[in-house]
Amino acid sequence: MDRELALEIVRVTELGALSSARWIGRGDKNAADDAATTAIRSMFDSVSIDGTVVIGEGEMDDAPMLYIGEKVGNQKGPSVDVAVDPLEGTEVVACGLHNAQSVIAIADKGSLLHAPDIYMEKLACGPELAGKLSLEDPVEVTLQKACLFSGKSLSELTVMVLDRKRHEQLIHSLREAGVRIKLLGHGDVAGAIAAALPDSDVDLYMGSGGAPEGVLAAAALKCLGGEMQGRLLPDGPLEQQRCVRMGISNPTRVLYMEDMVGTGDVLFAATGVTSGEFLNGVRFIGKERAETHSVIMRAQSRTIRYIRSIHFLPGKEIPDGLTVRQNVASL
Ligand SMILES: O=P(O)(O)OC[C@H]1O[C@](O)(COP(=O)(O)O)[C@@H](O)[C@@H]1O
């Protein structure tokens, strides 16, 4: 993929973030999501790709735009898979909390896992530990291996985990082992990425979160030289059938990087909506300007670029998401 695409993609996540940021703390997660989705969908038309959404807002029948299988881009560039979460952290924005982002990954056509919207157990780490750990090991063994290969002691190791009741046992084991824990409210794409960023103090990301978010994080980890392992957690036969329908014949086997991101040509972009692990959120400045913080990464070069943009708002069309809501409501 042309490296100039990176800038085109970050323009798309910037508009998604600017649109949903108007909904921070207003208690309406659907409006925040619709705003980001409308903005990202409209902005994609100008991007030079022949893209197909593989991770998006849902199945065609449930999502008016950015549905799985939808074609995006101006159809003039390379054929690519598109994984997009217009607003990763809908509840976060609704409640004005931390860690919401607009996120997109683009990779060679046919290379990204078509993950159903169910939970996935995840283990993510940076380059130092990539290839050294296994999701199938007990937590204690993973921690010992992490210490061995990072040179840190248990009390110096930091593990990030989503703060959820279902993680009670995991958090208990981590506390028993004596590692440092960072509990995350929401946004496990950012959490998993934090384990692989060179300037982060997080060594490991553990626990379950959304499977689509797992693929998005895996794309970023590919760019960072880190690793993500995942195991889908289908809850009952219906979710199992959904996995099989989406091409995953053994839904409970461990998925490795090559299963989730089967190419070395990947672009990942994210723009902060609210401030989080590594990006600041949108800040409105006066009546005409707004500031965004984004990261853009390419697997081929392993470059990590942080982009701070000051936007001139009167020159931009920023969807508020209301039109799409009215359309959906009248269906
Ligand atoms: O809140 P749950 O059910 O534990 O799900 C975890 C998932 O929710 C999130 O925190 C936010 O997801 P949404 O954007 O769908 O609100 C994800 O990052 C994470 O994968």
Side-chain angles (χ1 to χ4, degrees):
M1 276 183 289
D2 191 333
R3 64 182 177 183
E4 311 306 330
L5 252 184
L7 263 186
E8 291 197 49
I9 294 301
V10 86
R11 280 200 192 93
V12 182
T13 55
E14 281 179 349
L15 197 69
L18 283 167
S19 303
S20 51
R22 294 181 184 277
W23 291 95
I24 289 172
R26 290 168 65 185
D28 192 340
K29 64 179 194 174
N30 294 328
D33 197 36
D34 290 347
T37 305
T38 315
I40 283 190
R41 180 64 192 85
S42 68
M43 201 62 185
F44 254 129
D45 287 342
S46 64
V47 179
S48 305
I49 52 167
D50 173 5
T52 307
V53 175
V54 298
I55 301 273
E57 289 293 279
E59 305 282 332
M60 197 206 250
D61 294 343
D62 308 323
M65 54 182 89
L66 297 179
Y67 54 82
I68 295 162
E70 185 177 353
K71 300 294 272 179
V72 291
N74 63 12
Q75 310 301 309
K76 290 187 183 142
S79 293
V80 291
D81 280 354
V82 174
V84 52
D85 195 345
L87 182 55
E88 145 68 344
T90 52
E91 193 68 35
V92 173
V93 168
C95 301
L97 304 172
H98 292 282
N99 243 353
Q101 306 179 335
S102 280
V103 188
I104 296 176
I106 288 187
D108 291 332
K109 192 173 173 57
S111 61
L112 295 181
L113 181 78
H114 296 212
D117 192 9
I118 63 175
Y119 284 123
M120 175 192 269
E121 186 186 352
K122 305 172 189 179
L123 173 63
C125 62
E128 213 169 36
L129 300 176
K132 310 278 196 321
L133 308 177
S134 168
L135 189 60
E136 291 184 290
D137 282 337
V139 176
E140 296 73 14
V141 174
T142 299
L143 298 178
Q144 279 159 13
K145 286 186 180 172
C147 287
L148 179 71
F149 293 108
S150 69
K152 290 185 176 179
S153 65
L154 281 167
S155 61
E156 291 167 348
L157 208 66
T158 305
V159 182
M160 188 167 258
V161 183
L162 268 178
D163 189 8
R164 296 290 185 275
K165 195 155 178 38
R166 63 177 183 273
H167 291 152
E168 246 170 33
Q169 182 52 49
L170 170 61
I171 293 167
H172 176 74
S173 305
L174 294 171
R175 289 193 173 139
E176 285 286 293
V179 296
R180 302 177 351 141
I181 306 172
K182 275 184 129 178
L183 291 174
L184 190 66
H186 295 272
D188 78 343
V189 174
I193 293 173
L197 282 171
D199 52 357
S200 153
D201 64 348
V202 177
D203 300 288
L204 293 172
Y205 182 79
M206 291 177 143
S208 61
E213 285 88 345
V215 176
L216 276 158
L221 289 161
K222 185 88 181 186
C223 299
L224 293 166
E227 185 184 9
M228 158 82 89
Q229 293 177 28
R231 190 192 338 246
L232 295 170
L233 301 169
D235 185 11
L238 281 180
E239 289 196 355
Q240 278 188 8
Q241 283 157 22
R242 202 146 100 229
C243 295
V244 174
R245 265 206 320 277
M246 291 181 83
I248 305 161
S249 52
N250 177 0
T252 52
R253 80 169 175 88
V254 175
L255 298 162
Y256 295 95
M257 286 299 275
E258 58 272 24
D259 299 310
M260 291 187 267
V261 188
T263 176
D265 201 1
V266 187
L267 283 176
F268 175 91
T271 301
V273 181
T274 62
S275 295
E277 280 312 300
F278 56 94
L279 292 173
N280 288 337
V282 174
R283 189 167 67 92
F284 291 100
I285 310 164
K287 60 177 183 179
E288 301 199 312
R289 297 209 175 258
E291 179 189 55
T292 57
H293 288 254
S294 306
V295 67
I296 174 91
M297 316 179 202
R298 281 178 69 225
Q300 280 192 331
S301 62
R302 300 252 307 252
T303 312
I304 309 165
R305 280 196 176 80
Y306 288 98
I307 300 178
R308 172 174 170 254
S309 308
I310 306 285
H311 305 269
F312 180 59
L313 299 177
K316 278 186 183 297
E317 206 169 301
I318 302 182
D320 59 15
L322 292 174
T323 324
V324 69
R325 290 189 88 201
Q326 280 150 9
N327 289 345
V328 172
S330 65
L331 282 180

